[in-house]
Amino acid sequence: MPEEENTKTEGVAQDPGQEEEEIRETGSLKLTGKSGKHGIRLLTIIGEIEGHEAVSGNTKATKYEHLLPRLAEAEEDEDTEGVLILLNTLGGDVEAGLAIAEMIASLSKPTVSLVLGGSHSIGGPLAVSADYSFIVPTGTMIVHPVRSTGMFIGVIQSYRNMEKTQDRIARFIADHSKITQERLLELMLDSTQLVKDVGTMLEGEDAVREGLIDEVGGISQAFAKLHEMIEQRRKNL
């Protein structure tokens, strides 16, 4: 009796149609390292960070229920040696953003983030959650106090809750970057920069100077750094 045909696809690149669907649905892509380099998971955080409520159908959004499983998969997948995160977001749901940031920060594999365009509001913790962060020269980061659009049932209680949330964000950013929590709060409460609002907008070099981001650079620098970190991890294993 003839042996059954082996249908396994080990070492075979992902079907282009599947790749397109993965990018469209989850904004992620597994780079197979065809040139002999390392296996890297590419993740994009684009548009608004969507939380428990769906955003408008006309709004580009990153769904955290899509991103969290991809991050868990990257942690467990032996072929994935590092993760590259591309960011261009105006912010969004605070709890969802912090959940993603904590997940990235807790990965055991090397991670690099690259801010393209902007990483505003809750995008700040996402940008600094990686082991090493880049921002393009024209990229921007806006830091500002936590806001709420919900109904205030108890004013004092709501204010205290917002303060605690703001402290959580500031503490996370300070713990994962070179900026101090005190300096970050100063930038958040600056009333001289943003029209009709408080906060600070930092361009590429300013973000590095303040210690929020590690280095000004683009995609080639981000890949080079990630490959370097992966090689160092291999040596340490």
PDB file of all heavy atoms in Angstrom, residues 63-95:
ATOM      1  N   LYS A  63      -7.453  46.919  16.467  1.00  0.00           N
ATOM      2  CA  LYS A  63      -8.282  46.205  17.437  1.00  0.00           C
ATOM      3  C   LYS A  63      -7.385  45.408  18.378  1.00  0.00           C
ATOM      4  O   LYS A  63      -6.608  44.573  17.933  1.00  0.00           O
ATOM      5  CB  LYS A  63      -9.256  45.266  16.722  1.00  0.00           C
ATOM      6  CG  LYS A  63     -10.194  45.968  15.737  1.00  0.00           C
ATOM      7  CD  LYS A  63     -11.046  44.947  15.016  1.00  0.00           C
ATOM      8  CE  LYS A  63     -11.910  45.602  13.943  1.00  0.00           C
ATOM      9  NZ  LYS A  63     -12.924  46.494  14.526  1.00  0.00           N
ATOM     10  N   TYR A  64      -7.517  45.665  19.674  1.00  0.00           N
ATOM     11  CA  TYR A  64      -6.619  44.987  20.599  1.00  0.00           C
ATOM     12  C   TYR A  64      -6.898  43.501  20.689  1.00  0.00           C
ATOM     13  O   TYR A  64      -6.014  42.710  21.001  1.00  0.00           O
ATOM     14  CB  TYR A  64      -6.650  45.666  21.971  1.00  0.00           C
ATOM     15  CG  TYR A  64      -7.764  45.259  22.904  1.00  0.00           C
ATOM     16  CD1 TYR A  64      -7.480  44.585  24.084  1.00  0.00           C
ATOM     17  CD2 TYR A  64      -9.099  45.574  22.646  1.00  0.00           C
ATOM     18  CE1 TYR A  64      -8.486  44.227  24.970  1.00  0.00           C
ATOM     19  CE2 TYR A  64     -10.102  45.234  23.521  1.00  0.00           C
ATOM     20  CZ  TYR A  64      -9.802  44.550  24.678  1.00  0.00           C
ATOM     21  OH  TYR A  64     -10.801  44.202  25.545  1.00  0.00           O
ATOM     22  N   GLU A  65      -8.131  43.076  20.359  1.00  0.00           N
ATOM     23  CA  GLU A  65      -8.412  41.640  20.376  1.00  0.00           C
ATOM     24  C   GLU A  65      -7.748  40.928  19.212  1.00  0.00           C
ATOM     25  O   GLU A  65      -7.633  39.691  19.209  1.00  0.00           O
ATOM     26  CB  GLU A  65      -9.938  41.371  20.367  1.00  0.00           C
ATOM     27  CG  GLU A  65     -10.661  41.719  19.076  1.00  0.00           C
ATOM     28  CD  GLU A  65     -11.210  43.147  19.080  1.00  0.00           C
ATOM     29  OE1 GLU A  65     -10.645  43.991  19.796  1.00  0.00           O
ATOM     30  OE2 GLU A  65     -12.187  43.399  18.369  1.00  0.00           O
ATOM     31  N   HIS A  66      -7.293  41.675  18.207  1.00  0.00           N
ATOM     32  CA  HIS A  66      -6.499  41.093  17.127  1.00  0.00           C
ATOM     33  C   HIS A  66      -5.021  41.057  17.498  1.00  0.00           C
ATOM     34  O   HIS A  66      -4.317  40.096  17.191  1.00  0.00           O
ATOM     35  CB  HIS A  66      -6.650  41.918  15.840  1.00  0.00           C
ATOM     36  CG  HIS A  66      -7.958  41.721  15.148  1.00  0.00           C
ATOM     37  ND1 HIS A  66      -8.349  42.461  14.052  1.00  0.00           N
ATOM     38  CD2 HIS A  66      -8.984  40.864  15.404  1.00  0.00           C
ATOM     39  CE1 HIS A  66      -9.551  42.071  13.656  1.00  0.00           C
ATOM     40  NE2 HIS A  66      -9.951  41.106  14.463  1.00  0.00           N
ATOM     41  N   LEU A  67      -4.578  42.144  18.144  1.00  0.00           N
ATOM     42  CA  LEU A  67      -3.145  42.298  18.413  1.00  0.00           C
ATOM     43  C   LEU A  67      -2.657  41.392  19.546  1.00  0.00           C
ATOM     44  O   LEU A  67      -1.557  40.828  19.467  1.00  0.00           O
ATOM     45  CB  LEU A  67      -2.847  43.759  18.743  1.00  0.00           C
ATOM     46  CG  LEU A  67      -1.463  44.289  18.372  1.00  0.00           C
ATOM     47  CD1 LEU A  67      -1.137  43.985  16.923  1.00  0.00           C
ATOM     48  CD2 LEU A  67      -1.393  45.785  18.618  1.00  0.00           C
ATOM     49  N   LEU A  68      -3.449  41.245  20.603  1.00  0.00           N
ATOM     50  CA  LEU A  68      -3.006  40.431  21.742  1.00  0.00           C
ATOM     51  C   LEU A  68      -2.719  38.976  21.360  1.00  0.00           C
ATOM     52  O   LEU A  68      -1.686  38.429  21.762  1.00  0.00           O
ATOM     53  CB  LEU A  68      -4.030  40.501  22.879  1.00  0.00           C
ATOM     54  CG  LEU A  68      -4.221  41.878  23.540  1.00  0.00           C
ATOM     55  CD1 LEU A  68      -5.210  41.780  24.695  1.00  0.00           C
ATOM     56  CD2 LEU A  68      -2.896  42.443  24.033  1.00  0.00           C
ATOM     57  N   PRO A  69      -3.585  38.323  20.570  1.00  0.00           N
ATOM     58  CA  PRO A  69      -3.250  36.950  20.165  1.00  0.00           C
ATOM     59  C   PRO A  69      -1.990  36.870  19.312  1.00  0.00           C
ATOM     60  O   PRO A  69      -1.237  35.898  19.405  1.00  0.00           O
ATOM     61  CB  PRO A  69      -4.485  36.506  19.365  1.00  0.00           C
ATOM     62  CG  PRO A  69      -5.591  37.359  19.864  1.00  0.00           C
ATOM     63  CD  PRO A  69      -4.962  38.685  20.170  1.00  0.00           C
ATOM     64  N   ARG A  70      -1.751  37.884  18.472  1.00  0.00           N
ATOM     65  CA  ARG A  70      -0.541  37.888  17.660  1.00  0.00           C
ATOM     66  C   ARG A  70       0.707  37.993  18.537  1.00  0.00           C
ATOM     67  O   ARG A  70       1.738  37.371  18.264  1.00  0.00           O
ATOM     68  CB  ARG A  70      -0.577  39.047  16.660  1.00  0.00           C
ATOM     69  CG  ARG A  70      -1.556  38.857  15.518  1.00  0.00           C
ATOM     70  CD  ARG A  70      -1.243  37.604  14.753  1.00  0.00           C
ATOM     71  NE  ARG A  70      -2.124  37.439  13.599  1.00  0.00           N
ATOM     72  CZ  ARG A  70      -2.343  36.292  12.996  1.00  0.00           C
ATOM     73  NH1 ARG A  70      -1.756  35.195  13.446  1.00  0.00           N
ATOM     74  NH2 ARG A  70      -3.135  36.213  11.956  1.00  0.00           N
ATOM     75  N   LEU A  71       0.626  38.800  19.576  1.00  0.00           N
ATOM     76  CA  LEU A  71       1.755  38.939  20.495  1.00  0.00           C
ATOM     77  C   LEU A  71       1.987  37.638  21.262  1.00  0.00           C
ATOM     78  O   LEU A  71       3.130  37.224  21.472  1.00  0.00           O
ATOM     79  CB  LEU A  71       1.506  40.103  21.457  1.00  0.00           C
ATOM     80  CG  LEU A  71       1.575  41.489  20.819  1.00  0.00           C
ATOM     81  CD1 LEU A  71       0.983  42.539  21.749  1.00  0.00           C
ATOM     82  CD2 LEU A  71       3.017  41.846  20.475  1.00  0.00           C
ATOM     83  N   ALA A  72       0.896  36.994  21.690  1.00  0.00           N
ATOM     84  CA  ALA A  72       1.028  35.704  22.378  1.00  0.00           C
ATOM     85  C   ALA A  72       1.632  34.657  21.442  1.00  0.00           C
ATOM     86  O   ALA A  72       2.478  33.856  21.852  1.00  0.00           O
ATOM     87  CB  ALA A  72      -0.341  35.246  22.882  1.00  0.00           C
ATOM     88  N   GLU A  73       1.207  34.687  20.178  1.00  0.00           N
ATOM     89  CA  GLU A  73       1.755  33.761  19.188  1.00  0.00           C
ATOM     90  C   GLU A  73       3.251  34.000  18.982  1.00  0.00           C
ATOM     91  O   GLU A  73       4.033  33.045  18.896  1.00  0.00           O
ATOM     92  CB  GLU A  73       1.010  33.939  17.863  1.00  0.00           C
ATOM     93  CG  GLU A  73       1.500  33.034  16.752  1.00  0.00           C
ATOM     94  CD  GLU A  73       0.834  33.336  15.427  1.00  0.00           C
ATOM     95  OE1 GLU A  73       0.745  34.530  15.046  1.00  0.00           O
ATOM     96  OE2 GLU A  73       0.398  32.385  14.765  1.00  0.00           O
ATOM     97  N   ALA A  74       3.652  35.274  18.918  1.00  0.00           N
ATOM     98  CA  ALA A  74       5.071  35.600  18.738  1.00  0.00           C
ATOM     99  C   ALA A  74       5.911  35.085  19.899  1.00  0.00           C
ATOM    100  O   ALA A  74       7.034  34.616  19.712  1.00  0.00           O
ATOM    101  CB  ALA A  74       5.241  37.114  18.590  1.00  0.00           C
ATOM    102  N   GLU A  75       5.362  35.139  21.101  1.00  0.00           N
ATOM    103  CA  GLU A  75       6.089  34.660  22.278  1.00  0.00           C
ATOM    104  C   GLU A  75       6.302  33.148  22.229  1.00  0.00           C
ATOM    105  O   GLU A  75       7.362  32.649  22.600  1.00  0.00           O
ATOM    106  CB  GLU A  75       5.312  35.039  23.546  1.00  0.00           C
ATOM    107  CG  GLU A  75       5.911  34.529  24.834  1.00  0.00           C
ATOM    108  CD  GLU A  75       7.260  35.156  25.184  1.00  0.00           C
ATOM    109  OE1 GLU A  75       7.567  36.257  24.664  1.00  0.00           O
ATOM    110  OE2 GLU A  75       8.005  34.548  25.971  1.00  0.00           O
ATOM    111  N   GLU A  76       5.297  32.423  21.759  1.00  0.00           N
ATOM    112  CA  GLU A  76       5.353  30.955  21.784  1.00  0.00           C
ATOM    113  C   GLU A  76       5.953  30.349  20.521  1.00  0.00           C
ATOM    114  O   GLU A  76       6.400  29.206  20.535  1.00  0.00           O
ATOM    115  CB  GLU A  76       3.939  30.395  21.986  1.00  0.00           C
ATOM    116  CG  GLU A  76       3.424  30.494  23.418  1.00  0.00           C
ATOM    117  CD  GLU A  76       4.202  29.588  24.347  1.00  0.00           C
ATOM    118  OE1 GLU A  76       4.003  28.361  24.315  1.00  0.00           O
ATOM    119  OE2 GLU A  76       5.045  30.112  25.116  1.00  0.00           O
ATOM    120  N   ASP A  77       5.966  31.095  19.428  1.00  0.00           N
ATOM    121  CA  ASP A  77       6.439  30.568  18.149  1.00  0.00           C
ATOM    122  C   ASP A  77       7.964  30.504  18.123  1.00  0.00           C
ATOM    123  O   ASP A  77       8.642  31.527  18.239  1.00  0.00           O
ATOM    124  CB  ASP A  77       5.924  31.466  17.016  1.00  0.00           C
ATOM    125  CG  ASP A  77       6.343  30.960  15.647  1.00  0.00           C
ATOM    126  OD1 ASP A  77       6.690  29.763  15.538  1.00  0.00           O
ATOM    127  OD2 ASP A  77       6.340  31.756  14.694  1.00  0.00           O
ATOM    128  N   GLU A  78       8.499  29.302  17.941  1.00  0.00           N
ATOM    129  CA  GLU A  78       9.953  29.126  17.938  1.00  0.00           C
ATOM    130  C   GLU A  78      10.618  29.829  16.758  1.00  0.00           C
ATOM    131  O   GLU A  78      11.780  30.215  16.837  1.00  0.00           O
ATOM    132  CB  GLU A  78      10.299  27.637  17.913  1.00  0.00           C
ATOM    133  CG  GLU A  78       9.922  26.904  19.200  1.00  0.00           C
ATOM    134  CD  GLU A  78      10.329  25.450  19.163  1.00  0.00           C
ATOM    135  OE1 GLU A  78      10.845  25.002  18.112  1.00  0.00           O
ATOM    136  OE2 GLU A  78      10.135  24.751  20.173  1.00  0.00           O
ATOM    137  N   ASP A  79       9.895  29.973  15.649  1.00  0.00           N
ATOM    138  CA  ASP A  79      10.473  30.603  14.462  1.00  0.00           C
ATOM    139  C   ASP A  79      10.520  32.128  14.562  1.00  0.00           C
ATOM    140  O   ASP A  79      11.229  32.777  13.800  1.00  0.00           O
ATOM    141  CB  ASP A  79       9.672  30.218  13.210  1.00  0.00           C
ATOM    142  CG  ASP A  79       9.790  28.730  12.905  1.00  0.00           C
ATOM    143  OD1 ASP A  79      10.840  28.142  13.242  1.00  0.00           O
ATOM    144  OD2 ASP A  79       8.835  28.157  12.347  1.00  0.00           O
ATOM    145  N   THR A  80       9.756  32.697  15.480  1.00  0.00           N
ATOM    146  CA  THR A  80       9.757  34.143  15.663  1.00  0.00           C
ATOM    147  C   THR A  80      10.836  34.503  16.676  1.00  0.00           C
ATOM    148  O   THR A  80      10.755  34.134  17.841  1.00  0.00           O
ATOM    149  CB  THR A  80       8.388  34.655  16.164  1.00  0.00           C
ATOM    150  OG1 THR A  80       7.390  34.340  15.192  1.00  0.00           O
ATOM    151  CG2 THR A  80       8.423  36.162  16.385  1.00  0.00           C
ATOM    152  N   GLU A  81      11.839  35.244  16.218  1.00  0.00           N
ATOM    153  CA  GLU A  81      12.958  35.600  17.091  1.00  0.00           C
ATOM    154  C   GLU A  81      12.909  37.047  17.564  1.00  0.00           C
ATOM    155  O   GLU A  81      13.641  37.424  18.484  1.00  0.00           O
ATOM    156  CB  GLU A  81      14.278  35.354  16.356  1.00  0.00           C
ATOM    157  CG  GLU A  81      14.509  33.896  15.992  1.00  0.00           C
ATOM    158  CD  GLU A  81      15.821  33.705  15.272  1.00  0.00           C
ATOM    159  OE1 GLU A  81      15.841  33.860  14.042  1.00  0.00           O
ATOM    160  OE2 GLU A  81      16.836  33.412  15.950  1.00  0.00           O
ATOM    161  N   GLY A  82      12.082  37.850  16.931  1.00  0.00           N
ATOM    162  CA  GLY A  82      11.965  39.253  17.330  1.00  0.00           C
ATOM    163  C   GLY A  82      10.696  39.856  16.765  1.00  0.00           C
ATOM    164  O   GLY A  82      10.062  39.293  15.867  1.00  0.00           O
ATOM    165  N   VAL A  83      10.318  41.013  17.305  1.00  0.00           N
ATOM    166  CA  VAL A  83       9.081  41.683  16.883  1.00  0.00           C
ATOM    167  C   VAL A  83       9.388  43.138  16.554  1.00  0.00           C
ATOM    168  O   VAL A  83      10.034  43.835  17.345  1.00  0.00           O
ATOM    169  CB  VAL A  83       7.998  41.615  17.981  1.00  0.00           C
ATOM    170  CG1 VAL A  83       6.728  42.334  17.525  1.00  0.00           C
ATOM    171  CG2 VAL A  83       7.693  40.167  18.361  1.00  0.00           C
ATOM    172  N   LEU A  84       8.925  43.578  15.392  1.00  0.00           N
ATOM    173  CA  LEU A  84       9.053  44.977  14.975  1.00  0.00           C
ATOM    174  C   LEU A  84       7.660  45.593  14.961  1.00  0.00           C
ATOM    175  O   LEU A  84       6.753  45.062  14.312  1.00  0.00           O
ATOM    176  CB  LEU A  84       9.692  45.071  13.590  1.00  0.00           C
ATOM    177  CG  LEU A  84       9.805  46.483  12.995  1.00  0.00           C
ATOM    178  CD1 LEU A  84      10.711  47.367  13.850  1.00  0.00           C
ATOM    179  CD2 LEU A  84      10.324  46.415  11.564  1.00  0.00           C
ATOM    180  N   ILE A  85       7.493  46.711  15.682  1.00  0.00           N
ATOM    181  CA  ILE A  85       6.194  47.376  15.782  1.00  0.00           C
ATOM    182  C   ILE A  85       6.262  48.728  15.081  1.00  0.00           C
ATOM    183  O   ILE A  85       7.094  49.566  15.433  1.00  0.00           O
ATOM    184  CB  ILE A  85       5.769  47.584  17.251  1.00  0.00           C
ATOM    185  CG1 ILE A  85       5.776  46.248  18.010  1.00  0.00           C
ATOM    186  CG2 ILE A  85       4.395  48.229  17.337  1.00  0.00           C
ATOM    187  CD1 ILE A  85       6.860  46.118  19.026  1.00  0.00           C
ATOM    188  N   LEU A  86       5.410  48.936  14.078  1.00  0.00           N
ATOM    189  CA  LEU A  86       5.316  50.206  13.374  1.00  0.00           C
ATOM    190  C   LEU A  86       4.099  50.965  13.898  1.00  0.00           C
ATOM    191  O   LEU A  86       2.996  50.408  13.944  1.00  0.00           O
ATOM    192  CB  LEU A  86       5.175  49.982  11.871  1.00  0.00           C
ATOM    193  CG  LEU A  86       6.260  49.138  11.189  1.00  0.00           C
ATOM    194  CD1 LEU A  86       5.982  49.041   9.692  1.00  0.00           C
ATOM    195  CD2 LEU A  86       7.644  49.713  11.445  1.00  0.00           C
ATOM    196  N   LEU A  87       4.300  52.229  14.287  1.00  0.00           N
ATOM    197  CA  LEU A  87       3.220  53.001  14.899  1.00  0.00           C
ATOM    198  C   LEU A  87       2.909  54.268  14.121  1.00  0.00           C
ATOM    199  O   LEU A  87       3.812  55.011  13.738  1.00  0.00           O
ATOM    200  CB  LEU A  87       3.583  53.394  16.330  1.00  0.00           C
ATOM    201  CG  LEU A  87       3.793  52.264  17.328  1.00  0.00           C
ATOM    202  CD1 LEU A  87       5.249  52.210  17.745  1.00  0.00           C
ATOM    203  CD2 LEU A  87       2.917  52.444  18.539  1.00  0.00           C
ATOM    204  N   ASN A  88       1.633  54.499  13.907  1.00  0.00           N
ATOM    205  CA  ASN A  88       1.136  55.784  13.411  1.00  0.00           C
ATOM    206  C   ASN A  88      -0.282  55.913  13.933  1.00  0.00           C
ATOM    207  O   ASN A  88      -1.247  55.531  13.275  1.00  0.00           O
ATOM    208  CB  ASN A  88       1.171  55.849  11.885  1.00  0.00           C
ATOM    209  CG  ASN A  88       0.881  57.249  11.369  1.00  0.00           C
ATOM    210  OD1 ASN A  88       0.693  58.186  12.152  1.00  0.00           O
ATOM    211  ND2 ASN A  88       0.837  57.408  10.065  1.00  0.00           N
ATOM    212  N   THR A  89      -0.412  56.414  15.152  1.00  0.00           N
ATOM    213  CA  THR A  89      -1.704  56.436  15.826  1.00  0.00           C
ATOM    214  C   THR A  89      -1.947  57.756  16.534  1.00  0.00           C
ATOM    215  O   THR A  89      -1.019  58.372  17.059  1.00  0.00           O
ATOM    216  CB  THR A  89      -1.811  55.280  16.844  1.00  0.00           C
ATOM    217  OG1 THR A  89      -3.037  55.398  17.578  1.00  0.00           O
ATOM    218  CG2 THR A  89      -0.658  55.291  17.828  1.00  0.00           C
ATOM    219  N   LEU A  90      -3.214  58.171  16.550  1.00  0.00           N
ATOM    220  CA  LEU A  90      -3.617  59.370  17.279  1.00  0.00           C
ATOM    221  C   LEU A  90      -4.056  59.035  18.706  1.00  0.00           C
ATOM    222  O   LEU A  90      -4.466  59.916  19.451  1.00  0.00           O
ATOM    223  CB  LEU A  90      -4.758  60.080  16.538  1.00  0.00           C
ATOM    224  CG  LEU A  90      -4.404  60.626  15.156  1.00  0.00           C
ATOM    225  CD1 LEU A  90      -5.640  61.219  14.487  1.00  0.00           C
ATOM    226  CD2 LEU A  90      -3.305  61.668  15.260  1.00  0.00           C
ATOM    227  N   GLY A  91      -3.982  57.753  19.077  1.00  0.00           N
ATOM    228  CA  GLY A  91      -4.384  57.351  20.424  1.00  0.00           C
ATOM    229  C   GLY A  91      -5.691  56.577  20.390  1.00  0.00           C
ATOM    230  O   GLY A  91      -6.042  55.969  19.381  1.00  0.00           O
ATOM    231  N   GLY A  92      -6.412  56.615  21.488  1.00  0.00           N
ATOM    232  CA  GLY A  92      -7.677  55.886  21.551  1.00  0.00           C
ATOM    233  C   GLY A  92      -7.968  55.398  22.952  1.00  0.00           C
ATOM    234  O   GLY A  92      -7.683  56.081  23.934  1.00  0.00           O
ATOM    235  N   ASP A  93      -8.502  54.194  23.051  1.00  0.00           N
ATOM    236  CA  ASP A  93      -8.920  53.624  24.334  1.00  0.00           C
ATOM    237  C   ASP A  93      -7.712  53.396  25.245  1.00  0.00           C
ATOM    238  O   ASP A  93      -6.777  52.688  24.886  1.00  0.00           O
ATOM    239  CB  ASP A  93      -9.644  52.300  24.077  1.00  0.00           C
ATOM    240  CG  ASP A  93     -10.262  51.727  25.342  1.00  0.00           C
ATOM    241  OD1 ASP A  93      -9.524  51.115  26.135  1.00  0.00           O
ATOM    242  OD2 ASP A  93     -11.475  51.905  25.538  1.00  0.00           O
ATOM    243  N   VAL A  94      -7.750  54.000  26.434  1.00  0.00           N
ATOM    244  CA  VAL A  94      -6.620  53.948  27.355  1.00  0.00           C
ATOM    245  C   VAL A  94      -6.365  52.521  27.849  1.00  0.00           C
ATOM    246  O   VAL A  94      -5.224  52.045  27.840  1.00  0.00           O
ATOM    247  CB  VAL A  94      -6.849  54.895  28.550  1.00  0.00           C
ATOM    248  CG1 VAL A  94      -5.800  54.658  29.638  1.00  0.00           C
ATOM    249  CG2 VAL A  94      -6.803  56.346  28.087  1.00  0.00           C
ATOM    250  N   GLU A  95      -7.403  51.837  28.293  1.00  0.00           N
ATOM    251  CA  GLU A  95      -7.220  50.493  28.849  1.00  0.00           C
ATOM    252  C   GLU A  95      -6.712  49.519  27.786  1.00  0.00           C
ATOM    253  O   GLU A  95      -5.839  48.690  28.053  1.00  0.00           O
ATOM    254  CB  GLU A  95      -8.540  49.983  29.436  1.00  0.00           C
ATOM    255  CG  GLU A  95      -9.067  50.796  30.601  1.00  0.00           C
ATOM    256  CD  GLU A  95      -8.127  50.784  31.796  1.00  0.00           C
ATOM    257  OE1 GLU A  95      -7.347  49.823  31.936  1.00  0.00           O
ATOM    258  OE2 GLU A  95      -8.173  51.731  32.592  1.00  0.00           O
TER     259      GLU A  95
END
